[in-house]
Amino acid sequence: MASLTSLISSPPSSTNNIFPKRTSQLSAPIGRLQTLRKSQLAVTCKSSNGRSDPFDEVLAAAAAASRRDVLLGLGAGLYGAGAFVTDPFSAAFARPIDGPSQDVCKLATPSPGNPLQIECCPPAMAGRESKPFQFPSPSEPKRIRRPAHLASQDKEYVEKYKLAMKRMKCLPPEDPRSFFQQAKVHCAYCNGSYVQSSHTNLGLQIHFSWLFLPFHRMYLHFYERILGSLIQDPTFALPFWNWDHEDGMAIAEMFKDPESPLFDGLRNVHHLPSNKPLDLRWDRVTEDKPFERIRDDNYARVYELMVSGAQRRLEFFGPKYRAGDPPPAGGGGTSERLHNMAHLWTGGHNQQFGEDMGNFYSAGRDPIFYVHHCNVDRLWNVWKTIGGFRFDFDDYDYLNTSFLFYDENSDLIKIKVKDVLDPQALGLEYEDRPIPWRNSRPVPTAANAARTATAAAFGGPITSPSAFPLVLEKVTTVMVPRPKKGRTAKEKSAASEILVVEGIELEGDKVVQFEVVINDDPDNPSGPSNSEFAGSFLNIPHVHGNNGHNKFVTGLRMDITELLEDIGAENDDQIQVTLVPKKSDGPVTIGGLKIEYSS
């Protein structure tokens, strides 16, 4: 491993002759966003036209560019590894997504109809073929990810991390290893730029489905290896934002220095102080909650989304998504819902579109994005250790879905989901940390703890099911019949009871959030630390990627098997469900509620 002194004295070349200079294709820049970008890159790295920020360069260079599809020219065919499943019947009828189209990539936008058009597509790579992913050699040293708040105390590590980030930000913007291009990866895959290779009339979206976790693991893998290569340190590992432990809930100190390449000027300034823990139930209004309340609610939320609400893999990962399916709509599995609030809480509260972290198109521009997703990735590992039915899918289409990334050698790599299911095979480990939320099972309110009343006695008024669909503008309570009451332990083991809020219609570029409680006082609804809290819905602004139409319909699924036990409602014929709207930027329509079972 090279010493820090030698790394500083012998930086790698910032040129790459493989990649020709090219003109950006982003249209109609907005002067306001140019102003916002002034503090985006703390390190001054002059780009080709003398600007200090490649994001600014793109905004300025594309004033005359029209709205159009962009030909990537990434080469003629994709070549990947052999099939993981040998059953010829399964393979014959398989529909795995074979990555994004190499020929079509669309301009993105923060909001449909907005004049700001953003090129999120990778550099032109005409005539180049992708290479199949190769696992790191077992002889390579392991990369061990540490909690960011502890890594901040390691001065040598922080300096290496800063050096790696500085060099990444100083690479030419057209270099696929540059921070400029790495940040665009999330935009391309998440904000409507890419289409499916075999169905170019359909957008490709890696959120809201079973692809959310494996895609982001791939993204982190290549990003991390690029950083390590830039400082000649194969052991370099990203830290993880340990927000599921009280000691690591605040933004780590290493990300707060305005002169550091780890800093992003488009963060919520109210959330930078060391005594400001990430609030997984932030309502976008309240900033003065006691630390203990935030901690306890956070632990209860993680428990809900990792334990009681994630007993089945479909509920944890999200719905299945195959080639030929339209891009999945918002909602996703509990693993994704657990991660959403950190985006909104970190992003600029006074920015038009929540930049950077608060919008999918710009989230990758904040170095803390990758550290946040490292913790999400870590929790995937933790979830599989809890037991029960918590294991990865073995579906052929899931295992053989593939994506394209550039590696530390600037090679285009085709990687499949099956390649990333074992972190150790990727040369990756996480430092062990206590898991306090494992023992944070919520408790029922006093009314349910000593309950003798029926569900109908928890207050009203009660909304008739015939009133749906309805615009959720106020607290709304409805009685939901249960298909079966008094289920046996065997029945519960075979299938979880799922409360479904269906027909949730909203605009994708708007923040929309509401909470759901069961058998609770509508005038004083419970929070996550009480058993009556069933879950919440939160949409992070994005463009849906469905041919420019951004209104979509989705649903919210909540496993209430354990909840019903805790509030003494297992023998009820119906439950009282209350929808509690929170501060949103646009209307949301609810189609109805029902109960179904998930095996």
Side-chain angles (χ1 to χ4, degrees):
M1 185 189 309
S3 68
L4 184 59
T5 302
S6 64
L7 292 176
I8 295 174
S9 62
S10 57
S13 171
S14 63
T15 60
N16 190 326
N17 295 328
I18 297 175
F19 305 100
K21 299 282 185 182
R22 68 173 186 156
T23 304
S24 171
Q25 296 172 345
L26 172 105
S27 65
I30 295 178
R32 180 172 176 273
L33 280 186
Q34 290 178 313
T35 301
L36 297 179
R37 286 281 156 224
K38 287 182 178 178
S39 58
Q40 177 68 30
L41 298 181
V43 176
T44 300
C45 304
K46 294 295 182 182
S47 52
S48 58
N49 68 355
R51 291 179 177 268
S52 62
D53 184 343
F55 290 115
D56 276 346
E57 178 179 358
V58 171
L59 288 170
S66 63
R67 195 171 187 171
R68 63 189 181 275
D69 288 353
V70 181
L71 295 180
L72 294 182
L74 291 177
L78 295 176
Y79 303 91
F84 185 82
V85 177
T86 57
D87 179 2
F89 183 84
S90 298
F93 294 93
R95 290 194 295 127
I97 293 174
D98 193 20
S101 169
Q102 294 180 264
D103 300 316
V104 178
C105 187
K106 302 178 180 181
L107 294 173
T109 178
S111 177
N114 190 283
L116 177 64
Q117 298 293 304
I118 307 162
E119 183 198 339
C120 296
C121 306
M125 298 287 288
R128 292 176 64 90
E129 297 178 351
S130 64
K131 298 180 179 180
F133 175 73
Q134 299 292 325
F135 287 98
S137 169
S139 63
E140 286 189 22
K142 295 291 185 183
R143 291 173 287 115
I144 301 176
R145 292 177 181 168
R146 302 166 57 196
H149 67 285
L150 297 180
S152 289
Q153 301 171 19
D154 184 338
K155 292 183 178 179
E156 182 175 3
Y157 171 81
V158 172
E159 290 305 312
K160 280 191 174 183
Y161 189 10
K162 288 164 60 177
L163 180 62
M165 279 299 307
K166 177 179 179 180
R167 289 182 174 176
M168 179 181 273
K169 288 185 173 184
C170 287
L171 289 172
E174 65 269 20
D175 189 325
R177 303 169 302 158
S178 69
F179 186 72
F180 177 61
Q181 293 294 341
Q182 287 296 304
K184 293 201 303 181
V185 170
H186 197 255
C187 180
Y189 275 106
C190 312
N191 221 64
S193 289
Y194 277 146
V195 297
Q196 298 178 34
S197 61
S198 57
H199 298 81
T200 55
N201 63 316
L202 293 173
L204 177 58
Q205 172 61 260
I206 54 75
H207 287 89
F208 320 125
S209 78
W210 62 1
L211 300 182
F212 168 72
L213 286 173
F215 168 85
H216 284 88
R217 178 170 286 177
M218 298 171 186
Y219 190 4
L220 293 171
H221 171 80
F222 290 106
Y223 176 84
E224 185 174 63
R225 289 182 68 88
I226 291 170
L227 286 172
S229 71
L230 292 173
I231 56 172
Q232 297 92 53
D233 184 356
T235 69
F236 176 82
L238 291 164
F240 61 89
W241 185 0
N242 194 190
W243 41 253
D244 60 310
H245 189 284
E246 63 179 304
D247 293 345
M249 289 178 181
I251 293 176
E253 291 302 314
M254 70 171 82
F255 297 100
K256 297 179 181 179
D257 178 6
E259 301 304 316
S260 167
L262 303 177
F263 185 78
D264 185 335
L266 300 186
R267 294 182 189 144
N268 189 323
V269 295
H270 299 298
H271 298 159
L272 295 180
S274 301
N275 63 345
K276 279 288 186 180
L278 167 63
D279 183 356
L280 294 177
R281 199 197 175 201
W282 185 49
D283 59 8
R284 305 172 68 205
V285 177
T286 308
E287 298 288 1
D288 58 354
K289 292 183 191 176
F291 174 85
E292 293 76 13
R293 180 182 171 190
I294 293 177
R295 177 199 62 201
D296 293 347
D297 278 355
N298 282 358
Y299 286 169
R301 289 242 62 194
V302 180
Y303 179 91
E304 168 213 334
L305 296 167
M306 288 283 289
V307 185
S308 63
Q311 300 185 50
R312 311 285 168 171
R313 56 187 178 180
L314 187 66
E315 309 309 322
F316 181 71
F317 286 95
K320 299 176 181 180
Y321 178 34
R322 308 178 194 275
D325 292 344
T334 63
S335 58
E336 185 165 2
R337 282 154 46 199
L338 176 60
H339 115 292
N340 285 345
M341 186 56 80
H343 274 275
L344 192 65
W345 184 88
T346 307
H349 68 293
N350 60 350
Q351 309 308 325
Q352 184 176 5
F353 302 110
E355 292 92 352
D356 277 326
M357 273 282 280
N359 195 300
F360 282 169
Y361 97 87
S362 55
R365 297 174 178 180
D366 189 340
I368 210 168
F369 163 85
Y370 307 90
V371 179
H372 168 47
H373 271 277
C374 282
N375 199 46
V376 177
D377 185 76
R378 165 184 162 266
L379 291 175
W380 178 9
N381 296 344
V382 173
W383 177 78
K384 290 190 284 188
T385 69
I386 296 174
F389 299 97
R390 296 175 176 86
F391 43 84
D392 293 318
F393 286 103
D394 55 2
D395 185 290
Y396 182 94
D397 290 349
Y398 177 72
L399 296 172
N400 288 279
T401 288
S402 62
F403 297 102
L404 295 171
F405 291 89
Y406 290 101
D407 70 2
E408 65 272 24
N409 300 311
S410 300
D411 290 328
L412 186 64
I413 304 298
K414 180 179 182 180
I415 183 170
K416 297 185 176 184
V417 168
K418 66 183 180 182
D419 296 329
V420 299
L421 298 183
D422 179 7
Q424 291 200 349
L426 300 175
L428 172 65
E429 294 181 0
Y430 284 94
E431 184 176 294
D432 287 338
R433 291 290 295 154
I435 306 177
W437 48 263
R438 187 66 183 86
N439 299 314
S440 294
R441 183 169 179 164
V443 296
T445 61
N448 277 315
R451 186 164 90 95
T452 58
T454 65
F458 289 95
I462 304 297
T463 299
S464 169
S466 64
F468 292 91
L470 59 78
V471 178
L472 186 62
E473 298 176 312
K474 61 181 180 179
V475 175
T476 301
T477 300
V478 63
M479 303 305 299
V480 180
R482 297 178 63 210
K484 183 178 178 59
K485 66 178 183 179
R487 294 201 306 148
T488 66
K490 183 177 181 180
E491 288 173 321
K492 294 176 187 176
S493 177
S496 293
E497 189 162 351
I498 308 296
L499 173 63
V500 183
V501 183
E502 55 185 350
I504 303 174
E505 184 175 351
L506 68 152
E507 295 284 350
D509 60 328
K510 301 293 191 295
V511 174
V512 170
Q513 56 181 337
F514 62 85
E515 295 180 343
V516 183
V517 296
I518 295 176
N519 289 6
D520 202 14
D521 180 1
D523 295 327
N524 187 28
S526 298
S529 295
N530 287 122
S531 305
E532 290 79 4
F533 186 92
S536 66
F537 178 89
L538 172 63
N539 181 65
I540 301 300
H542 66 287
V543 171
H544 187 51
N546 188 17
N547 296 322
H549 302 296
N550 209 36
K551 179 174 283 189
F552 62 86
V553 179
T554 185
L556 173 64
R557 299 170 59 86
M558 294 159 285
D559 189 332
I560 59 173
T561 308
E562 185 176 287
L563 181 155
L564 295 177
E565 294 175 359
D566 290 349
I567 67 173
E570 290 183 285
N571 294 314
D572 290 350
D573 294 310
Q574 57 184 351
I575 55 175
Q576 176 176 304
V577 179
T578 300
L579 306 178
V580 185
K582 298 294 181 178
K583 183 180 179 182
S584 297
D585 296 334
V588 56
T589 299
I590 307 297
L593 296 97
K594 66 179 182 180
I595 288 177
E596 62 183 35
Y597 297 100
S598 175
S599 59

